[in-house]
Amino acid sequence: MVAGEFDWLAPTPDRAQFRVTQALAYGCSLPLAMTMSASIASPSTDTEIIEQRVRALLDEMTLAEKIGQMSQVNVGDSYIHDYLAEGLRAGRVGSVINEVNVDVVNELQRIAVEESRLGIPLLVGRDVIHGFKTVMPIPLGQAATWNPDIVREGARVAALEAATVGVNWTFAPMIDISRDARWGRIAESLGEDPYLASALGAAMVEGFQGDDLAAVGTIAACAKHFAGYGAAESGRDYASTNIPENELRNVYLRPFKAAVDAGVLTLMASFSDIDGVPATGNEFLMRQVLRDEWQFDGFVVSDWDSIRQLRIHGLTGNDKESAFEAATAGVDMEMHGDAYGNHLEELIEAGRISVDRIDTAAANILRAKFRLGLFEDPYARPEELPEIADTNAIETARTAALQSVVMLKNDHDTLPLSVEKLDSIALIGPLTDAPYEQLGTWIFDGDPELSITPMHAIHSLVGHDIDVRYVRAMENSRSQSTEAFGEAVDIARDSDAVILFLGEESILSGEAHSRADISLPGAQAELVRRIRATGKPVVAVILAGRPLTLTNIVDEVDAILFAWHPGTMGGPAIADLLFGVESPSGKLPATFPRMVGQIPIYYNQKNTGKPPSPETIVHIDDIDAHAPQLSLGMTAFHLDAGYTPLFAFGHGLSYATFNYERITTSAADIELGESVTIGVELTNTGAFTADEVVQLYIRDLVGNVTRPVKELKGFRRVRLDPGESTTVNFELHTDDLGFYGRNMQLMTEPGEFHAWIGGSSETELRTEFRIIAGD
């Protein structure tokens, strides 16, 4: 198709009358025709009006048309003028996925709206995970910003760009809690902590959906994967999960509840089974928790073909039974599958599924379409939206990348590098100049031509003041060849400093890309050792989609910037940090293990009855062969790894030095239903203006069920000049300290609490307070 080919793209002045005429021509009742006219004449933002329209439309729909709303078709499988067009005219399709040609999308909408009996517009889905053309850092990198504002703005940029081609529904945010870095999809997650993931997930929802769901440039968000997907056994994608209900409610469900509270329009069911029942057929999750307890009134979509996969799981014997289980559980729409289309009508005729269940599912989907304003105008109008990669998009991507980079170590103040003090630098490694790889996973539409790589950004920053030498050294991050290492050593030896760009290519993380060994792949560790032997200062910049085990190289480099996959503007962000234009301010959203055998390792663990301490552990190399077994400490640790991580949750260094002192509480005792303010004095005692992410942790010392040793309950990004001080306060209501007890009810108990404020989960600056029962 040729752009501009369709004259129907122009707004129609008498569109309301057209819809009335269309509806009557297809035999619809006059009330429905007038309802459709009203939906054109005025925005459909009032909840009561929307419900009236949904009900009126349902009353006119045939059973086949209702089931059609529950079906999503992959455009890549069906050409517009054949099967798909026929299905649209017959009302057998409620949504399409994976089409980003604006003319094709608008033609699909035209057929659905103008050539079907009821003129119901389409939901057009696409995985817009961390950007569309302009790519933000991977979600795990965005989590490292600890900045809901930049996360929200990144999602807004993605929505505006995706809307230019007619996408009105994205399958993000992914808010699965993950404590296993082997899992490939940790890259798409917001880390290991339910509080941080809740805050940032809600911000993403707000960014995609905006203040007005019907506004141009707004797209529906989809919180996924409901629920527990991130706990896959051994970090193997799609593997089973076994999560006790108490843990499920206290950890894994909390980000989804936050997304629902933020108004997310849709949720996606998880691929995996949870305690023996795949999420796609899990009535406890979809009905009891989501609908009955949370009162969610959006709709649930399956993951890709996951309804038919219930048979492969072994839950059902055939596709018909799979359709029965999914529909009964409460999955409203089938993504890329035909179990619903082929079998729901038969199941209804047999009396196994009620028409009310189908009505509920169809109503949930129609409600979302009305809220999005698709009945008013379903078409993409790129001329009304910002240009792709406009100034705001690029600046948002740069800020997000800048704030996402975590400085893991900086021995002897190796960083920042000084343009004035260096005559030459060596840039070495397979990710120095890799515009596609820096974008990360799940970037179907990301444009690598927009990427500015670290090599180009460094050249631009230093100009002709420093001689910049470059050797790729390895074909890719997985290469075992050391053939080019000699050249790399030569330029390192002849340079004043070395910057190694290491890590993982984008394909090594993401869906189905799990790893058992999460150290640097290929011969990268050997490259580090050879460069270290030159005696020159060595900085490692690591681009990766997950936390890595860096034990074998951490002592071989002077400084480490962990940049995740930083997106379109990763290069300028990294260059600014390397040369001190800005100070690193990212904080880890997930724990870095010393070795893979420590996994799962996370900061908010339980204390156990035998908690380890430095005094109670013995390293395997220090065991006295003649000592009795009890001399080994008898506490919860590994003989060869201890009990601490390599880098803790919340860790991240700065070029500034921040001093925390005088932690206070507004009251020693508070009653249930009251609040306490916990504060600290923060001073920048260094020489750089910098941001610090101030973190509040608490511990409930005694509970109806055992509670974690620390829990994040607040954070704030604060910018201070050298010598500047401020007081940072956090207000905690007793409801914020609630947890699910043995009866699976949310509760806050009276008792003693510890509270810490600092720059990471390892902070030791502590105070106490107590909750007392009221009269």
Side-chain angles (χ1 to χ4, degrees):
M1 297 182 191
V2 178
E5 173 181 356
F6 306 106
D7 56 8
W8 47 263
L9 280 175
T12 305
D14 58 349
R15 184 158 174 72
Q17 181 58 46
F18 166 78
R19 290 296 291 273
V20 173
T21 304
Q22 177 194 31
L24 292 173
Y26 278 112
C28 297
S29 65
L30 182 60
L32 174 61
M34 295 307 294
T35 295
M36 295 173 73
S37 172
S39 74
I40 295 297
S42 60
S44 53
T45 56
D46 183 86
T47 300
E48 186 175 340
I49 292 175
I50 287 177
E51 292 307 311
Q52 291 173 353
R53 292 173 179 166
V54 168
R55 185 52 51 192
L57 191 50
L58 273 178
D59 288 345
E60 296 294 335
M61 295 173 74
T62 66
L63 179 59
E65 287 168 335
K66 294 172 184 176
I67 294 172
Q69 286 302 300
M70 301 170 66
S71 301
Q72 183 185 70
V73 173
N74 179 30
V75 177
D77 292 343
S78 314
Y79 189 63
I80 183 172
H81 292 305
D82 300 321
Y83 168 80
L84 180 54
E86 178 187 341
L88 291 172
R89 293 185 183 100
R92 294 198 304 264
V93 180
S95 172
V96 295
I97 187 174
N98 291 337
E99 180 55 69
V100 292
N101 180 311
V102 64
D103 291 330
V104 174
V105 170
N106 277 338
E107 174 68 352
L108 294 175
Q109 291 285 20
R110 187 196 67 80
I111 295 171
V113 169
E114 298 188 7
E115 296 186 19
S116 70
R117 188 175 77 90
L118 296 177
I120 301 173
L122 292 167
L123 287 165
V124 181
R126 185 68 165 172
D127 281 293
V128 184
I129 306 302
H130 55 110
F132 189 66
K133 295 296 185 182
T134 307
V135 179
M136 306 296 146
I138 58 171
L140 190 61
Q142 292 185 54
T145 69
W146 293 56
N147 186 346
D149 291 338
I150 196 64
V151 170
R152 184 181 299 106
E153 186 57 29
R156 186 75 196 122
V157 167
L160 290 168
E161 291 193 348
T164 63
V165 299
V167 171
N168 54 35
W169 182 23
T170 180
F171 305 113
M174 198 194 91
I175 48 180
D176 299 297
I177 297 299
S178 179
R179 296 165 166 175
D180 192 333
R182 296 172 297 183
W183 188 46
R185 300 195 81 167
I186 194 173
E188 295 174 66
S189 84
L190 297 171
E192 71 184 41
D193 181 72
Y195 184 91
L196 182 63
S198 295
L200 301 182
M204 277 193 180
V205 170
E206 293 161 1
F208 288 127
Q209 297 190 170
D211 298 326
D212 178 2
L213 282 168
V216 174
T218 288
I219 65 177
C222 181
K224 65 183 187 184
H225 305 82
F226 194 65
Y229 185 37
E233 289 179 342
S234 189
R236 290 179 297 114
D237 209 359
Y238 317 124
S240 296
T241 65
N242 292 284
I243 308 172
E245 184 181 344
N246 184 267
E247 186 81 349
L248 183 71
R249 289 182 178 275
N250 278 316
V251 177
Y252 293 91
L253 292 184
R254 287 188 181 245
F256 289 95
K257 179 59 164 65
V260 169
D261 290 344
V264 70
L265 275 185
T266 69
L267 268 74
M268 182 186 294
S270 169
F271 274 123
S272 58
D273 76 51
I274 179 166
D275 298 342
V277 182
T280 306
N282 196 307
E283 192 168 350
F284 166 73
L285 287 174
M286 303 302 166
R287 301 285 289 276
Q288 179 180 325
V289 173
L290 190 58
R291 301 295 183 182
D292 297 342
E293 296 180 20
W294 295 356
Q295 297 295 299
F296 176 64
D297 67 352
F299 75 88
V300 176
V301 64
S302 77
D303 209 330
W304 188 271
D305 204 21
S306 67
I307 293 179
R308 294 190 299 190
Q309 289 169 14
L310 292 177
R311 177 186 60 81
I312 301 171
H313 274 284
L315 186 74
T316 66
N318 52 54
D319 288 353
K320 182 170 76 173
E321 294 305 310
S322 296
F324 171 79
E325 292 289 345
T328 301
V331 175
D332 300 309
M333 180 182 286
E334 181 176 18
M335 176 186 286
H336 181 63
D338 57 13
Y340 277 1
N342 289 341
H343 300 292
L344 281 183
E345 196 161 353
E346 177 186 355
L347 288 164
I348 292 165
E349 291 173 354
R352 297 184 62 197
I353 294 178
S354 70
V355 173
D356 285 346
R357 171 80 275 274
I358 303 303
D359 283 355
T360 298
N364 291 337
I365 295 163
L366 293 172
R367 186 180 300 114
K369 292 182 177 184
F370 276 113
R371 287 175 173 171
L372 285 167
L374 298 182
F375 283 87
E376 288 73 57
D377 187 0
Y379 299 118
R381 301 193 184 279
E383 71 280 359
E384 297 179 17
L385 293 164
E387 292 184 4
I388 296 293
D390 70 352
T391 300
N392 178 64
I394 293 300
E395 283 304 310
T396 300
R398 182 171 185 152
T399 300
L402 190 73
Q403 294 186 4
S404 72
V405 177
V406 182
M407 186 160 67
L408 297 179
K409 67 172 290 186
N410 189 25
D411 292 349
H412 315 298
D413 291 330
T414 300
L415 292 177
L417 301 174
S418 171
V419 174
E420 291 76 21
K421 295 180 181 180
L422 296 175
D423 293 323
S424 60
I425 54 172
L427 309 182
I428 299 171
L431 297 175
T432 311
D433 190 30
Y436 177 81
E437 305 302 344
Q438 74 183 49
L439 297 181
T441 186
W442 280 112
I443 44 95
F444 296 140
D445 305 294
D447 186 354
E449 292 189 4
L450 295 174
S451 294
I452 301 178
T453 67
M455 186 179 77
H456 286 281
I458 290 170
H459 271 289
S460 178
L461 191 151
V462 303
H464 298 292
D465 296 331
I466 296 178
D467 181 13
V468 179
R469 295 97 178 253
Y470 165 58
V471 173
R472 186 179 179 90
M474 300 170 65
E475 181 181 354
N476 56 52
S477 69
R478 296 163 285 127
S479 174
Q480 298 287 351
S481 173
T482 61
E483 183 178 351
F485 284 12
E487 183 184 1
V489 168
D490 288 342
I491 73 157
R493 186 180 293 115
D494 292 339
S495 300
D496 295 329
V498 181
I499 307 173
L500 293 170
F501 289 89
L502 310 170
E504 300 176 316
E505 298 148 82
S506 60
I507 201 171
L508 296 185
S509 59
E511 184 171 348
H513 299 159
S514 299
R515 296 180 59 199
D517 177 358
I518 56 170
S519 61
L520 288 170
Q524 292 183 79
E526 177 61 23
L527 175 63
V528 173
R529 283 189 286 271
R530 294 199 190 183
I531 298 302
R532 183 60 167 179
T534 66
K536 297 302 174 74
V538 179
V539 175
V541 178
I542 299 177
L543 287 72
R546 55 167 56 82
L548 300 176
T549 51
L550 301 174
T551 307
N552 62 341
I553 65 104
V554 69
D555 294 328
E556 303 291 333
V557 297
D558 298 292
I560 300 176
L561 291 180
F562 205 91
W564 316 99
H565 287 130
T568 297
M569 294 299 288
I574 290 168
D576 283 353
L577 295 172
L578 286 169
F579 289 91
V581 177
E582 281 285 346
S583 172
S585 62
K587 300 283 187 175
L588 292 181
T591 301
F592 277 47
R594 296 180 184 275
M595 57 181 66
V596 75
Q598 290 181 295
I599 293 173
I601 184 170
Y602 46 95
Y603 86 94
N604 48 350
Q605 62 189 317
K606 300 294 184 67
N607 202 42
T608 80
K610 293 181 178 289
S613 66
E615 297 75 30
T616 62
I617 68 169
V618 177
H619 191 270
I620 191 170
D621 295 335
D622 299 326
I623 296 175
D624 184 344
H626 304 290
Q629 183 172 345
L630 292 179
S631 68
L632 296 185
M634 306 301 287
T635 57
F637 73 100
H638 292 103
L639 287 172
D640 50 356
Y643 66 96
T644 61
L646 184 61
F647 298 109
F649 176 85
H651 170 76
L653 303 178
S654 171
Y655 295 150
T657 304
F658 292 100
N659 184 49
Y660 290 82
E661 60 183 356
R662 286 188 281 279
I663 187 170
T664 61
T665 60
S666 59
D669 296 336
I670 58 171
E671 292 187 1
L672 284 169
E674 294 182 342
S675 297
V676 62
T677 299
I678 305 171
V680 72
E681 289 188 22
L682 178 69
T683 303
N684 181 350
T685 59
F688 286 83
T689 296
D691 287 3
E692 170 71 337
V693 177
V694 182
Q695 303 162 40
L696 168 69
Y697 296 88
I698 66 98
R699 181 182 179 190
D700 186 348
L701 296 183
V702 178
N704 177 268
V705 294
T706 57
R707 307 299 301 129
V709 293
K710 278 183 181 174
E711 293 181 274
L712 182 69
K713 288 296 179 181
F715 60 89
R716 189 165 305 145
R717 181 174 277 267
V718 179
R719 188 169 185 84
L720 294 179
D721 292 326
E724 184 180 3
S725 296
T726 191
T727 299
V728 181
N729 289 318
F730 297 94
E731 183 173 307
L732 275 180
H733 190 275
T734 56
D735 289 350
D736 298 327
L737 303 172
F739 62 93
Y740 287 87
R742 298 180 208 180
N743 63 357
M744 304 306 159
Q745 298 299 308
L746 189 63
M747 61 193 302
T748 302
E749 292 183 319
E752 295 182 0
F753 291 79
H754 287 169
W756 297 261
I757 298 180
S760 83
S761 61
E762 294 185 319
T763 177
E764 297 180 355
L765 185 62
R766 194 187 82 188
T767 187
E768 295 103 29
F769 64 94
R770 185 173 60 167
I771 295 177
I772 57 177
D775 295 335

